[in-house]
């Protein structure tokens, strides 16, 4: 392969008058994991779909292994492994039949087909009792594993993963992360599209933060966080889990921003306060909370995250950005 596994130059994609991807340029070295990070609607999936050849850019070019993807689509089919966000499997077939079917699509047959299917069953940790079950009766986590196995049967050198852990419980997420790390250890180049900050921070060598169709920041997770003006964050959980309690913290001197977040396991509300020096301001936060008649269930100091980077760059949280995108989409549908 050439120096750059993927070379994207000034790519734009429009839908009607809306620029889903707007003049994006990006290169990826062989063997790295690049995270495309941002809210839903930022342009991540559109960019990935163009890399995969699903549809062409309106402007610009994409080269894979030194070759324009529009020139030799058949070769791209064998270089790329595409793991879409949706489960692209056949419900009327069982797991083993699905894997054999996709293997045939990649020109595998006979002993080679059987060997590769067996390898992928072991590689992705598919359970023996799932092999004869129809896809529709499998758990979400098991469907994801079959989806991944089907996409890796032809041993691609570049793997495109679009929100691979969406909808999974914490245990299945962590197990899928291990599969991604295994691919990385084998020298695969991986594009990981995600809106989950912890996922990007945990897995990616570099991260391209996207918003409104543009890449607004690019670097290693640590370099992006080191570039922030804030130093620390204070996480406060109150007994009364109401969003209106954010007003307790907003007037406090030294609190630069108050984020309302939801615990993915308990679905309870907590507050993330971005501050300059947590030690200096901690007592003021406790005092303000007690004066408001609220009981603190827990309080802790943490370092900034990629979610904080996005907030500082855009002035909006990920949740606020996604709500904005939903409003734009609704407006476009009404006009259409």
């Amino acid at each position: 392969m050439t120096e750059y596994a993927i070379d994207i130059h000034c790519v734009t994609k429009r839908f009607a008058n809306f620029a889903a991807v707007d003049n994006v340029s990006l290169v990826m070295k062989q063997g790295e994991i690049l995270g495309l990070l941002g809210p839903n609607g930022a342009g991540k999936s559109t960019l990935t779909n163009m890399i995969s050849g699903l549809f062409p850019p309106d402007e610009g070019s994409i080269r894979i292994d030194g070759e324009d993807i529009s020139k030799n689509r058949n070769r791209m089919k064998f270089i790329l492994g595409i793991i879409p966000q949706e489960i692209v499997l056949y419900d009327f077939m069982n797991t083993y039949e699905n894997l054999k079917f996709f293997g045939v699509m990649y020109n595998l047959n006979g002993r080679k087909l059987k060997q590769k299917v067996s390898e992928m069953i072991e590689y992705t940790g598919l359970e023996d009792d799932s092999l004869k079950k129809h896809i529709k009766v499998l758990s979400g986590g098991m469907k994801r594993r079959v989806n991944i196995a089907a996409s890796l049967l032809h041993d691609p050198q570049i793997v495109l993963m679009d929100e691979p852990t969406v909808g999974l419980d914490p245990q299945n997420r962590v197990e899928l992360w291990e599969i991604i790390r295994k691919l990385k250890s084998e020298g695969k180049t991986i594009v990981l599209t995600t809106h989950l900050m912890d996922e990007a921070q945990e897995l990616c060598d570099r991260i391209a933060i996207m918003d409104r169709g543009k890449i607004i920041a690019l670097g290693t997770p640590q370099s992006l966080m080191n570039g922030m003006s804030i130093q620390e964050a204070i996480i406060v959980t109150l007994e009364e889990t109401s969003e209106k309690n954010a007003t307790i913290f907003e007037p406090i001197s030294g609190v630069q921003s108050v984020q309302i977040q939801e615990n993915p396991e308990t679905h309870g509300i907590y507050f993330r306060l971005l501050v300059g020096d947590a030690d200096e301001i901690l007592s003021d936060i406790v005092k303000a909370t007690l004066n408001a008649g609220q009981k603190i269930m827990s309080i802790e100091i943490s370092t900034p995250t990629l979610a904080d980077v996005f907030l500082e760059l855009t002035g909006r949280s990920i949740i606020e950005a996604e709500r904005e995108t939903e409003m734009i989409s609704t407006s476009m549908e009404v006009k259409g």
Side-chain angles (χ1 to χ4, degrees):
M1 296 185 77
T2 58
E3 179 184 1
Y4 294 125
I6 299 176
D7 186 349
I8 301 168
H9 180 67
C10 298
V11 162
T12 293
K13 185 66 182 180
R14 297 184 182 87
F15 297 99
N17 295 322
F18 176 69
V21 173
D22 189 2
N23 195 31
V24 165
S25 294
L26 182 69
V27 294
M28 282 187 67
K29 292 183 178 180
Q30 299 172 36
E32 78 168 319
I33 300 181
L34 176 80
L36 293 179
L37 178 64
N40 293 327
K44 309 182 304 296
S45 294
T46 301
L47 182 58
T48 303
N49 286 336
M50 285 190 287
I51 296 171
S52 72
L54 184 62
F55 44 68
D58 296 325
E59 300 170 15
S61 63
I62 300 173
R63 304 180 75 85
I64 292 178
D65 192 20
E67 186 170 7
D68 192 309
I69 60 171
S70 65
K71 305 299 184 185
N72 193 340
R73 294 189 182 279
N74 191 57
R75 180 168 178 256
M76 296 302 120
K77 170 183 172 181
F78 293 95
I79 291 177
L80 295 172
I82 302 167
I83 303 172
Q85 180 175 341
E86 299 80 13
I87 301 298
V88 187
L89 301 167
Y90 291 98
D91 283 345
F92 62 87
M93 295 182 187
N94 65 33
T95 295
Y96 194 82
E97 289 167 342
N98 264 280
L99 294 179
K100 284 181 64 178
F101 174 82
F102 282 98
V104 170
M105 296 289 287
Y106 287 110
N107 296 344
L108 297 172
N109 54 66
R111 183 179 300 175
K112 183 67 173 177
L113 173 61
K114 187 175 181 179
Q115 177 187 337
K116 290 302 296 183
V117 168
S118 295
E119 286 176 6
M120 285 302 102
I121 288 170
E122 181 178 355
Y123 192 91
T124 55
L126 286 168
E127 299 168 356
D128 289 341
D129 64 353
S130 71
L131 300 181
K132 294 183 179 180
K133 290 181 179 179
H134 282 195
I135 295 299
K136 62 184 177 182
V137 302
L138 297 180
S139 67
M142 201 56 61
K143 287 179 182 178
R144 288 279 170 198
R145 290 172 191 264
V146 181
N147 220 31
I148 292 171
S151 302
L152 299 178
L153 283 164
H154 59 302
D155 194 23
Q157 290 306 300
I158 299 173
V159 182
L160 309 179
M161 295 185 164
D162 189 4
E163 301 281 1
T165 64
V166 67
L168 296 185
D169 60 58
Q171 180 179 341
N172 273 301
R173 278 186 69 205
V174 171
E175 290 174 357
L176 197 144
W177 286 1
E178 289 307 311
I179 294 174
I180 296 172
R181 290 192 182 98
K182 200 181 332 183
L183 289 168
K184 157 83 173 173
S185 71
E186 295 170 357
K188 307 291 188 189
T189 303
I190 301 171
V191 179
L192 176 65
T193 298
T194 182
H195 67 285
L196 301 172
M197 302 294 172
D198 60 334
E199 185 164 275
Q201 193 167 330
E202 183 73 24
L203 296 173
C204 298
D205 299 310
R206 289 190 304 147
I207 293 170
I209 298 179
M210 294 192 70
D211 185 41
R212 296 170 176 165
K214 293 181 178 290
I215 292 178
I216 59 173
L218 176 64
T220 65
Q222 196 58 54
S223 70
L224 291 173
M225 290 184 288
N226 287 346
M228 294 189 63
S229 61
I230 67 162
Q231 298 174 18
E232 294 174 303
I234 299 176
I235 299 172
V236 184
T237 303
L238 303 179
E239 183 176 45
E240 182 186 322
T241 57
S242 170
E243 293 188 13
K244 67 181 182 181
N245 285 329
T247 57
I248 295 172
F249 311 110
E250 289 166 352
I252 300 173
S253 176
V255 174
Q256 298 180 19
S257 174
V258 180
Q259 300 174 17
I260 302 168
Q261 300 191 347
E262 181 180 287
N263 186 311
E265 296 181 21
T266 66
H267 301 290
I269 293 294
Y270 65 91
F271 302 95
R272 184 177 178 83
L273 318 181
L274 304 186
V275 302
D277 189 325
D279 290 333
E280 282 188 5
I281 203 172
L282 197 58
S283 60
D284 293 335
I285 290 170
V286 172
K287 186 184 299 182
T289 305
L290 296 177
N291 288 342
Q294 295 296 321
K295 181 179 179 181
I296 297 175
M297 303 304 292
S298 67
I299 187 167
E300 60 181 286
I301 298 172
S302 72
T303 55
T305 67
L306 291 170
D308 301 325
V309 175
F310 185 86
L311 178 65
E312 182 162 292
L313 289 171
T314 67
R316 295 141 46 237
S317 69
I318 288 286
I319 293 175
E320 289 169 337
E322 290 180 347
R323 287 173 181 166
E324 176 188 281
T325 302
E326 288 174 4
M327 290 175 65
I328 292 172
S329 298
T330 301
S331 175
M332 290 177 66
E333 288 173 3
V334 170
K335 289 180 181 179

